[in-house]
Amino acid sequence: MTRYRFPEPVPAPTAAPRTVYLVANGDLRPAANVTCWPVQRRLEADLARAVSALGWTIRRAHEVDEAAGHGFIDSQRRGIEVFRTVPPDAPLLVAEAVWQYSHHLLAGLRSHRGPILVVANWDGGFPGLVGLLNLTASLTKAGVDHSSLWSADFTDDWAVAGLKAWLDTGKLVHPTDHVHDLPALDDAAEEVRLGRALAADLVRRKAIIGVFDEGCMGMYNAIIDDELLNPLGIYKERLSQSSLVAEMARVDDSEADAVRAWLDEAGLRFHLGTDEATELTDAQVHSQLKLYVAALRIADDFGLDAVGIQYQQGLKDTVPASDLAEGLLNNVSRPPVRSRDGSRELYPGVPLPHFNEVDEGVAVDALVTNRIWTAMRLDPATTLHDVRWGEEYDGEFVWTFMISGAVPASHHGGYDRSYSRRQPPMFFPLGGGTLSGCSKPGEIVWSRVYVHGGALHVDLGRAHVVALPEAETTRRLALTNPEWPIMHAVLHGVSRNQFMAKHKANHVQVAYAPDAETADRALTVKAALFAEWGVTVHLCGDVQLAEAAAR
Ligand SMILES: C[C@H](O)[C@@H](O)[C@@H](O)C(=O)CO
C-alpha cells in the first residue's frame, strides 16, 4: 500500500520473430503529407516485397489515418505514442519517401535498443533522400547507432545485399575509404597562413549570427550548441520572426517598389499570374521585398555578420516566402537598402550571408566562406543546396543539387539568367517567388560542418558544375521541383553511395572559384582555418591541396 499515486507502468511489447517494424515519418504540414502519401505507399510496397523475399515480414508500427489522408507520423507527440507500441529490441525500418521532421522520431529512436535502418527511395519526385540525410545526421549528432540504405525500388543487387546484411547482423556498414584526414600543413604556405589568420581573427574580433527562430522543421542536426560555437568566436543573436513581420510593416511601399524596379532593370524574370492560391502575384513579390528590406534593417540593428530565417513554420502562415530575400542577401550585387532615416546604405557592396532554414552548420560555413573568398578577392556568393537526387549522364554521375527556394544570382551567371516562380502551395500556402536558375558550369568547393561525438567536424571536397543540354535540365526539373534552383554537380572522386554514406546533413554548401587551381587553394585555406579552430577536417575524394601546403 502507498499514499501516493505512482505512474501506471508502460508495458514493453515483445518482438514477433523474423519481423521488422516500420515507421514512416512525415512533415508537420498536412498538405505535404497528403500530397506525398502515394509515393510513400509505393516505397513501402517495394520494401515489403524485398524483405519478404529474404524471409522476414514487415509490420507497420502505426495505422494509416484514413481521415487525415495519410499514414505518416506527423508530430513529435504522435511519434512518442507510436514508439510506446514498438518492441524496444525489434529491428526497425524508418522508411522515407518524403521530406520529414526528424524531431518527430528522435524521442523514440533515442530509446530504441534494436537495430535501426533508415531507408529512402532513389527518386527525385519528393525530397525523401533529403529527409533520410537529415534524419541520419540528426541521429549522428544524438549518438544513436543506425544504418542507412537507398534504392530506386529495392530490387537491385546492391540494395538487396545491403538489406540482407542488416537483417542478418543488425548492421550495414558502407565503405568510406574515399575520406582522408588532413595532413600536417606547412606553416610557411600562404594559404595555410591565411586560413590560420582568418580563424584567429574570428576568435579575436568575434562574429554574430542572427537566428530567426531556432530549429527549423525538426532539423536537430542543424542546431549547434553555444558551447561548440563560442570557442570559434561565433555567437548567436536569438531573434523572433514576429519582429521581422513587425519591421516589414514599417517599410514604405515606395522602398519595396524601388527594389522591384532594380530587379526588373537587372533582368530577373518574375513568372506572374493572378491566382494567389497557385500563382505568383505582384502583391506576393511586394511583400517579399519588404521582408528583404526589413531583414537588412534588423541585421544592422544587431550588428549581424550572417543571418538565418526559419520561414517554413510560423512565418509561412503569415507572409509569402522569405526565399527571394535570402537569395538576394547572398549576392554581392543586390538592390541597395538604406537605414530607416535614409542616412546610410546597409552592408553596401557586400553580401550578408544567409543560412537558409536556420541551418547553423551552414551559418558557420557561409561565414567562413565569405571571409575566405573575400580575402582571396573572389566572388564570395555562397549557398547551401539540398542533396536532392542524381543520375548518370553520359557515363558520369551528375547530382541534382537543389534548394527549396533561392541561391545568389551570380551562381546562375547573373539576374538576367535567373527567374522567380511561385513556391509550391503544399509547402507555402501564401506563395512567394523563388530566386531560381540553373547554376553555371565551373569549379566549386563543397563542404559541410556537422556535429559528431559532441564535437564539430567538416567534410571538404571538390567538384565541378556541368552544363547539361537544355532538354536534360528540363527533364530533371520536371522530375523534381521546377520552381527551385538546380545545380548539376559532379563530385571529384566520390561515388554516389560513398557520398550518401558519409554526408551528415540534408544540405551541402557550395562556392565557385574561377578555375580548378584557385578552387584547390580556397579549399586549402578553408581546411587550415577549420583545423586552426580545432574542428576535425575530413578531405573527401580527390582533393589536391595547394602546392607546398602539405608538409
Ligand atoms: C519545402 C521543403 O520543406 C524543403 O524545404 C525541404 O525539402 C528542404 O529543403 C530541406 O532542406
Side-chain angles (χ1 to χ4, degrees):
M1 273 300 280
T2 172
R3 287 183 293 162
Y4 304 118
R5 272 176 29 189
F6 279 77
E8 281 290 313
V10 182
T14 40
R18 287 185 88 74
T19 301
V20 187
Y21 291 73
L22 180 143
V23 293
N25 191 25
D27 210 291
L28 202 59
R29 293 165 284 199
N33 286 334
V34 172
T35 310
C36 301
W37 177 233
V39 184
Q40 176 72 21
R41 290 188 91 115
R42 207 178 318 136
L43 166 64
E44 292 186 24
D46 289 343
L47 279 168
R49 256 191 307 274
V51 167
S52 85
L54 294 167
W56 288 69
T57 314
I58 288 188
R59 182 179 297 177
R60 226 171 181 272
H62 50 108
E63 299 294 318
V64 175
D65 182 341
E66 298 297 347
H70 66 81
F72 291 111
I73 293 173
D74 54 4
S75 71
Q76 177 166 233
R77 169 55 58 201
R78 178 97 177 101
I80 288 173
E81 275 158 17
V82 165
F83 269 90
R84 275 197 209 129
T85 67
V86 176
D89 295 307
L92 182 73
L93 269 178
V94 184
E96 290 308 331
V98 303
W99 170 244
Q100 57 84 51
Y101 285 30
S102 293
H103 81 297
H104 295 173
L105 292 189
L106 269 184
L109 292 175
R110 272 191 199 268
S111 51
H112 189 73
R113 296 191 299 253
I116 298 167
L117 180 68
V118 185
V119 299
N121 51 343
W122 198 269
D123 182 336
F126 293 117
L129 293 162
V130 187
L132 172 145
L133 286 168
N134 186 265
L135 184 58
T136 51
S138 294
L139 292 173
T140 298
K141 179 185 165 194
V144 177
D145 207 16
H146 63 279
S147 306
S148 59
L149 187 64
W150 44 90
S151 168
D153 55 10
F154 292 88
T155 56
D156 56 291
D157 293 348
W158 179 81
V160 172
L163 204 50
K164 183 169 179 344
W166 181 75
L167 288 167
D168 289 349
T169 66
K171 193 91 203 122
L172 174 58
V173 182
H174 300 291
T176 51
D177 48 356
H178 65 294
V179 183
H180 304 285
D181 294 343
L182 183 67
L185 297 175
D186 186 339
D187 300 339
E190 213 183 356
E191 289 75 21
V192 175
R193 288 198 290 117
L194 177 60
R196 289 177 181 168
L198 290 172
D201 186 64
L202 268 160
V203 172
R204 178 81 182 97
R205 271 186 230 270
K206 310 198 190 311
I208 303 177
I209 57 169
V211 180
F212 278 101
D213 292 336
E214 195 161 61
C216 182
M217 301 187 290
M219 299 189 326
Y220 172 72
N221 70 312
I223 301 169
I224 304 182
D225 287 347
D226 300 55
E227 283 62 34
L228 293 178
L229 272 186
N230 295 170
L232 315 180
I234 302 178
Y235 288 78
K236 295 184 207 179
E237 188 71 52
R238 291 183 168 84
L239 299 161
S240 164
Q241 296 191 118
S242 48
S243 59
L244 200 49
V245 178
E247 188 62 39
M248 285 169 70
R250 299 174 66 184
V251 177
D252 200 79
D253 285 334
S254 62
E255 296 182 283
D257 289 342
V259 175
R260 175 67 189 272
W262 191 101
L263 291 172
D264 287 340
E265 174 69 23
L268 180 63
R269 252 176 319 129
F270 291 95
H271 291 263
L272 295 167
T274 50
D275 177 8
E276 294 288 347
T278 58
E279 294 175 318
L280 181 63
T281 65
D282 277 318
Q284 289 168 23
V285 175
H286 190 73
S287 164
Q288 290 184 288
L289 299 180
K290 286 193 169 180
L291 193 151
Y292 167 64
V293 175
L296 277 159
R297 292 211 170 125
I298 295 180
D300 178 59
D301 290 342
F302 289 92
L304 304 183
D305 296 279
V307 65
I309 302 171
Q310 196 222 103
Y311 187 72
Q312 295 194 22
Q313 288 303 329
L315 205 56
K316 75 157 179 25
D317 300 312
T318 315
V319 293
S322 57
D323 299 274
L324 180 55
E326 300 175 11
L328 295 177
L329 290 172
N330 273 323
N331 211 50
V332 175
S333 163
R334 52 181 180 76
V337 171
R338 302 192 76 78
S339 55
R340 291 181 195 89
D341 64 3
S343 65
R344 289 174 298 122
E345 187 181 338
L346 305 180
Y347 299 86
V350 294
L352 172 61
H354 182 277
F355 43 106
N356 303 23
E357 299 170 0
V358 290
D359 181 337
E360 292 167 7
V362 171
V364 174
D365 205 339
L367 188 63
V368 160
T369 306
N370 176 276
R371 298 288 163 100
I372 295 173
W373 264 243
T374 303
M376 293 179 72
R377 303 179 204 284
L378 304 173
D379 174 9
T382 180
T383 187
L384 81 181
H385 274 285
D386 274 355
V387 179
R388 176 65 180 261
W389 173 68
E391 251 183 15
E392 288 221 344
Y393 185 85
D394 238 358
E396 166 165 86
F397 191 82
V398 181
W399 283 96
T400 292
F401 287 168
M402 169 175 271
I403 188 55
S404 55
V407 304
S410 75
H411 282 204
H412 307 137
Y415 288 100
D416 55 350
R417 291 169 171 271
S418 307
Y419 52 84
S420 182
R421 289 187 186 276
R422 193 198 190 280
Q423 284 282 23
M426 74 159 166
F427 292 128
F428 302 87
L430 299 183
T434 58
L435 208 165
S436 289
C438 183
S439 286
K440 64 188 178 186
E443 299 292 331
I444 59 169
V445 177
W446 66 264
S447 48
R448 176 64 208 185
V449 175
Y450 56 98
V451 180
H452 184 192
L456 282 175
H457 294 247
V458 63
D459 286 357
L460 290 176
R462 285 272 289 107
H464 63 277
V465 180
V466 289
L468 296 180
E470 206 178 318
E472 177 63 7
T473 300
T474 308
R475 187 186 77 89
R476 286 182 181 232
L477 284 170
L479 285 175
T480 52
N481 276 83
E483 313 84 354
W484 292 347
I486 189 167
M487 172 179 266
H488 306 306
V490 175
L491 305 185
H492 297 178
V494 186
S495 71
R496 180 193 89 158
N497 291 345
Q498 285 171 329
F499 187 78
M500 287 298 294
K502 177 69 180 71
H503 203 68
K504 296 297 170 209
N506 46 319
H507 292 146
V508 61
Q509 192 72 17
V510 294
Y512 279 89
D515 52 59
E517 190 260 341
T518 312
D520 293 341
R521 283 194 283 117
L523 183 149
T524 307
V525 179
K526 218 169 182 180
L529 185 155
F530 279 113
E532 179 70 7
W533 267 347
V535 174
T536 308
V537 177
H538 307 274
L539 301 179
C540 301
D542 298 337
V543 168
Q544 188 77 45
L545 291 179
E547 211 185 327
R551 262 192 275 167

